[in-house]
Amino acid sequence: MDVVAVDVGGTFTDVIYVDSSGSVRLSKVPTTPRRPEDGVVSGVRSVSPSGAFEVLHATTIATNALLGQVGLELPRTALLTTRGFRDVIEIGRQARPRLYDLLFAKPRPLVPRELRFEVDERTLSDGTVVKEVSEPELDEVASRMESMGVEAVAISFINSYANPSNEARARDLLSRRFAYVTASHEVAMEPREYERTSTAVINAALRPIVSRYLSSLRSSLGSMGASSLSVMSSAGGLVDVEEAALRPVQLIESGPAAGAIAASWLARELEVGSAIGFDMGGTTAKASSIVGGEVQVTTEYEVGGEAHHGRVVKGSGYPVRFPFVDLAEVSAGGGTIIWRDEAGALRVGPLSAGADPGPASYGRGGSQPTITDANLVLGRLGTSLAGGAVELRPELAAQALSRLGDPEGVAQEALELAIVEMARAVRLVTVERGLDPSGMTLIAFGGAGPQVAAELADEMGVGRVLVPPDPGLFSALGLLVADSKYEARLPFPRDLEAAFEGLEASLARRLGRVDHFIRLLDVRYSGQGWELTIRAPADLSPASVREEFDRAHEAAYGFTLDRPIEVVAARVFAVISRPKPRLRGPPREGEPRPVAQRRAWIGGSWDEVPIYRRESLPQGFRLRGPAVVEEYSSTTAVPRGWTLEVGPMGVLELRR
């Protein structure tokens, strides 16, 4: 069947259409932040699918709603909890993001105190129910919720991870009166009341927004011939609409996950042992690490909080306990705004010009200079983007930059600052994870990624860069190469094999077809406050689990402890394999010549640089920098001292 992959970014919505014969059509259309479904429908129309087709979608709607985007206001959400625990989401943890800031204020709770309700029920930590929840009391609470205009409800009872029977009973009763009810054991069946309650609240608040969005989108796409709609989850797998609407908390990093999955797929195809996925788009730059062809996954995340050089500041946002692709993100995209602070120092980000009005050079009313404007003034970019869909105006870019000083000098300094910021993100997913970036390959994509990839590699000591075909739409390609993945977990399993078999049987019953399972364990040393997620060893013996955990702990922290270990949770991913597309290769022969020459600043010096069109470069073609390679969705800059060769699958391989 024909497939359409749609990735909604901060600036562009990227679309790839692959028909049953393997023919590919590409499109980039402006993102419509206030109504993202309009951009999706416009993008699908632009590739003119014929006949029935399925749609694979990466969306930013969950993130945007939590960040307070206009038009995506969170619904009135209530919390139902055990008597005495209504303030757990406000008390939180003692972690302070700014220790010496006397004016620091905690994040505003997503549920105000007047909408937090208590009931008299109790489950002990061993799962024993000592007081069942009362239906008359639940009816009374539900009536009060209705009178206060509540639309969504989160339920989080103490110790419900050990025995969710009271939660399930409350969920069933409240579901008769409210369309959107989330029980904590459905989204975070694990210990730690604060994190589990926070995850349930976020899921409940997102359900009305995401459900309506997906329902509207499915209806619009259905009228165009779409037979199904799947959505990328933060864990790097596709889920169906029903799963996405039920547990939208797993969509928070949907778009960035798609790019990381694409990079891991390319690493496997080219037999690259360890790689860094580097995705620079219009709004942010993101880095991920790939080891053994697999992207790294974490179960700890905070949404809506502060970030410091790519590192999420603990205690500044809302914690979510759900699997996420391990990413570091910094404000260093093409649309990131360049400015001067009160002391006159040049700064880059965190604000972005976004899709509307966009960089000054777009000519759509934007007046603040951005990284795109800097690249244009430095000759690294041509005057046409996305096949002519966006025409850049160098005079507007220079005018905007001149407000900060000499346009070329400002552009050079801003680009250097942006590269330093991106390097910090790369270090977070490599050095801070026990990985040496100098021995890894940088896979650069996104509309702006290949423009700076070689210079970023110089900053990190990386000697090899790969630029995939159509890098500006590579995250959309990640949707096409991803498998469907569904997660389930069980806390404190007594018998590991029995726990895994039970989780696998439950997922198989729910999904019908499963091609294989991925088994994971959350493990910690006795007395530790947090755990590491490891691959479950084949034999599941205590010695094997200990060996695997010690290895992971040594890699992450540089030491091991002579203490007993505890298995906090068993996790299973059910994987349903999907057919993978074959990328069209480059021409087999030809003698490409530069289509133009222009003055450009690449790698720290000005040169008259040859400009090549990527589609004309045959496999095996080599050139030495400085040079620029332009294509529909991106531009690759090759500095002096670097070589470029067209390799298998049309991948551009840059080496220092």
Side-chain angles (χ1 to χ4, degrees):
M1 179 181 286
D2 299 358
V3 185
V4 178
V6 186
D7 173 38
V8 178
T11 306
F12 286 104
T13 293
D14 302 331
V15 186
I16 301 180
Y17 171 49
V18 182
D19 66 22
S20 54
S21 69
S23 178
V24 178
R25 289 202 285 271
L26 311 174
S27 178
K28 292 177 79 73
V29 300
T31 292
T32 52
R34 291 178 181 270
R35 285 184 53 84
E37 59 268 37
D38 292 347
V40 174
V41 171
S42 173
V44 173
R45 281 204 184 100
S46 69
V47 294
S48 305
S50 56
F53 59 95
E54 62 175 321
V55 178
L56 313 178
H57 182 30
T59 175
T60 56
I61 189 167
T63 306
N64 293 344
L66 292 168
L67 293 178
Q69 179 179 304
V70 175
L72 289 177
E73 288 78 12
L74 294 175
R76 199 161 171 79
T77 304
L79 170 63
L80 180 67
T81 188
T82 306
R83 191 174 305 282
F85 288 86
R86 68 187 292 198
D87 294 324
V88 68
I89 61 170
E90 193 158 355
I91 296 170
R93 299 289 175 193
Q94 290 302 306
R96 292 176 62 89
R98 296 189 298 275
L99 188 59
Y100 301 106
D101 184 355
L102 298 179
L103 301 179
F104 165 72
K106 288 185 177 182
R108 178 179 57 85
L110 294 178
V111 180
R113 197 166 195 270
E114 65 270 16
L115 292 181
R116 302 176 212 152
F117 301 89
E118 300 176 338
V119 290
D120 192 15
E121 68 80 40
R122 192 67 172 194
T123 300
L124 300 182
S125 60
D126 63 0
T128 302
V129 177
V130 295
K131 188 170 184 58
E132 293 188 352
V133 67
S134 164
E135 288 200 18
E137 188 178 11
L138 286 172
D139 278 327
E140 180 191 349
V141 168
S143 297
R144 290 165 58 197
M145 289 179 180
E146 286 179 329
S147 69
M148 299 176 76
V150 167
E151 185 178 4
V153 181
I155 306 171
S156 182
F157 290 162
I158 185 78
N159 296 324
S160 59
Y161 67 90
N163 183 348
S165 60
N166 273 353
E167 261 196 10
R169 191 174 177 187
R171 176 204 59 202
D172 294 343
L173 189 145
L174 291 179
S175 294
R176 302 173 196 165
R177 302 172 70 167
F178 300 94
Y180 306 104
V181 179
T182 295
S184 70
H185 72 273
E186 296 175 308
V187 291
M189 194 169 181
E190 55 189 70
R192 297 191 181 94
E193 299 305 314
Y194 170 53
E195 287 77 12
R196 181 161 50 82
T197 304
S198 174
T199 304
V201 166
I202 290 172
N203 194 79
L206 289 175
R207 278 193 66 189
I209 295 172
V210 173
S211 297
R212 286 193 283 263
Y213 168 73
L214 292 176
S215 176
S216 171
L217 184 60
R218 181 160 60 173
S219 176
S220 298
L221 294 172
S223 66
M224 299 168 63
S227 59
S228 65
L229 173 63
S230 299
V231 187
M232 174 61 73
S233 77
S234 304
L238 295 165
V239 297
D240 57 36
V241 171
E242 290 72 24
E243 169 71 7
L246 181 66
R247 300 202 288 181
V249 72
Q250 65 188 300
L251 306 185
I252 291 172
E253 288 291 325
S254 173
I261 292 302
S264 66
W265 168 80
L266 187 68
R268 290 193 300 273
E269 290 289 303
L270 299 180
E271 298 181 350
V272 175
S274 57
I276 302 160
F278 172 65
D279 175 7
M280 183 181 177
T283 307
T284 61
K286 295 162 282 287
S288 58
S289 57
I290 300 155
V291 179
E294 296 294 332
V295 69
Q296 304 301 291
V297 175
T298 181
T299 58
E300 297 177 34
Y301 191 77
E302 280 195 18
V303 64
E306 302 173 12
H308 181 69
H309 299 311
R311 182 187 286 103
V312 175
V313 180
K314 292 293 182 69
S316 66
Y318 307 107
V320 174
R321 296 292 285 177
F322 212 88
F324 284 77
V325 168
D326 191 10
L327 292 162
E329 187 170 3
V330 293
S331 179
T336 298
I337 291 171
I338 305 165
W339 55 288
R340 288 193 185 277
D341 62 20
E342 293 178 354
L346 198 69
R347 305 287 294 275
V348 175
L351 296 181
S352 171
D356 183 16
S361 55
Y362 279 20
R364 295 176 180 168
S367 60
Q368 295 178 293
T370 67
I371 296 297
T372 292
D373 298 315
N375 276 308
L376 182 62
V377 164
L378 295 176
R380 302 158 67 93
L381 272 181
T383 57
S384 179
L385 296 181
V390 178
E391 294 294 336
L392 302 182
R393 298 174 58 182
E395 72 279 7
L396 293 180
Q399 181 181 329
L401 288 163
S402 66
R403 297 191 185 100
L404 304 176
D406 171 61
E408 291 183 353
V410 169
Q412 292 170 17
E413 186 179 351
L415 196 59
E416 290 171 350
L417 288 173
I419 289 170
V420 169
E421 189 73 0
M422 296 171 203
R424 290 190 176 109
V426 172
R427 289 188 182 96
L428 286 177
V429 297
T430 55
V431 176
E432 292 200 11
R433 301 294 189 268
L435 303 172
D436 180 4
S438 65
M440 304 174 78
T441 297
L442 186 73
I443 300 176
F445 55 98
Q451 295 172 26
V452 299
E455 289 146 314
L456 174 61
D458 275 331
E459 178 74 18
M460 296 300 304
V462 174
R464 184 189 187 206
V465 174
L466 300 179
V467 180
D470 301 308
L473 295 102
F474 196 56
S475 290
L477 178 68
L479 296 165
L480 294 171
V481 301
D483 292 323
S484 296
K485 287 173 65 176
Y486 296 81
E487 188 255 9
R489 71 193 91 160
L490 183 70
F492 296 110
R494 292 181 175 85
D495 182 322
L496 294 184
E497 186 60 45
F500 281 129
E501 289 179 356
L503 291 170
E504 290 165 358
S506 174
L507 287 166
R509 284 193 303 271
R510 179 172 135 218
L511 301 173
R513 169 200 156 198
V514 176
D515 291 308
H516 68 275
F517 295 100
I518 299 173
R519 294 178 167 188
L520 303 170
L521 293 170
D522 292 353
V523 189
R524 67 188 179 195
Y525 290 117
S526 178
Q528 278 189 322
W530 299 94
E531 53 275 351
L532 287 176
T533 301
I534 62 170
R535 282 288 185 123
D539 64 2
L540 294 178
S541 68
S544 296
V545 173
R546 174 67 188 242
E547 181 181 354
E548 189 67 28
F549 175 67
D550 281 345
R551 187 183 302 115
H553 201 278
E554 175 75 34
Y557 301 113
F559 67 93
T560 59
L561 295 175
D562 185 19
R563 291 185 183 178
I565 62 170
E566 299 173 341
V567 176
V568 177
R571 299 174 182 271
V572 168
F573 279 104
V575 180
I576 303 172
S577 300
R578 292 177 48 84
K580 309 297 186 288
R582 296 297 303 172
L583 294 181
R584 64 180 186 276
R588 287 294 178 183
E589 55 187 27
E591 297 181 7
R593 298 183 181 278
V595 296
Q597 295 261 350
R598 67 169 175 257
R599 179 173 173 267
W601 188 83
I602 301 175
S605 64
W606 287 98
D607 291 283
E608 284 296 320
V609 174
I611 313 299
Y612 292 87
R613 292 297 304 177
R614 183 169 184 172
E615 57 269 22
S616 71
L617 305 183
Q619 185 159 335
F621 174 76
R622 289 173 57 92
L623 62 80
R624 289 185 175 276
V628 169
V629 178
E630 296 181 342
E631 58 184 302
Y632 170 77
S633 65
S634 188
T635 298
T636 301
V638 187
R640 186 179 301 278
W642 283 77
T643 61
L644 177 148
E645 181 175 357
V646 182
M649 300 167 59
V651 172
L652 303 183
E653 181 177 355
L654 282 69
R655 286 187 178 272
R656 193 186 315 113

